[in-house]
Amino acid sequence: MFTKRLVSIILVPRVLCYSTRTQPKMMDFRQFIQRGKAISMYRKFMRLTKRITDKQTRLETRQWIREDFHRHARQEDPARIDVLLAQANRHYKELESGVFSML
C-alpha cells in the first residue's frame, strides 16, 4: 500500500498542483507609483462616503466608485492612467464639496 501511494504521487504531474492563473507581469517604477496613487485615491473616496448621512445614497455612491475603479483596473497605458487619476481627483473634490453641502 505504501509503495502504491508513493508511485501515484510520483506519476501525478506537478502542473495539476499549481494554479492555472498566469503570473502577473512585473511593474516598472512608474506603474508602481501609479498603482499606489490609485489605491490611495480609492481609499480617499471610500472614507469620504462615510460622511454621507443617507444610507441609500451612501451605498449607491460606494457602488459607483467600485464600478468605476474596477472598470479601469486593467489599464496599462501610463499616460491614460495619469489622465484617469486627474479625473478621479476632480471628481473627489466635487464629491467632497457636495458632501459638505449636505451636512
Side-chain angles (χ1 to χ4, degrees), residues 27-47 65 69 72 78-90 92:
M27 291 184 282
D28 63 3
F29 184 70
R30 183 175 182 183
Q31 290 171 328
F32 177 77
I33 296 298
Q34 287 176 332
R35 181 178 182 272
K37 288 180 181 179
I39 291 171
S40 174
M41 182 61 66
Y42 180 81
R43 289 178 180 161
K44 280 175 60 175
F45 270 109
M46 289 302 175
R47 281 192 297 268
I65 292 166
F69 273 83
H72 299 293
R80 178 73 177 131
I81 293 171
D82 285 337
V83 169
L84 290 169
L85 287 170
Q87 287 176 352
N89 199 22
R90 282 194 303 273
Y92 178 80

Side-chain angles (χ1 to χ4, degrees), residues 41-42 45-46 49 56-75 80 84 87-88 91:
M41 182 61 66
Y42 180 81
F45 270 109
M46 289 302 175
T49 60
Q56 186 62 32
T57 305
R58 182 175 53 246
L59 293 175
E60 289 173 0
T61 306
R62 295 189 92 165
Q63 185 64 31
W64 166 72
I65 292 166
R66 278 190 202 102
E67 288 173 0
D68 208 34
F69 273 83
H70 284 285
R71 184 175 55 230
H72 299 293
R74 299 285 181 210
Q75 187 64 250
R80 178 73 177 131
L84 290 169
Q87 287 176 352
H91 286 299

Side-chain angles (χ1 to χ4, degrees), residues 51-53 98-103:
R51 299 180 193 167
I52 300 173
T53 55
V99 167
F100 283 129
S101 68
M102 287 194 287
L103 297 177

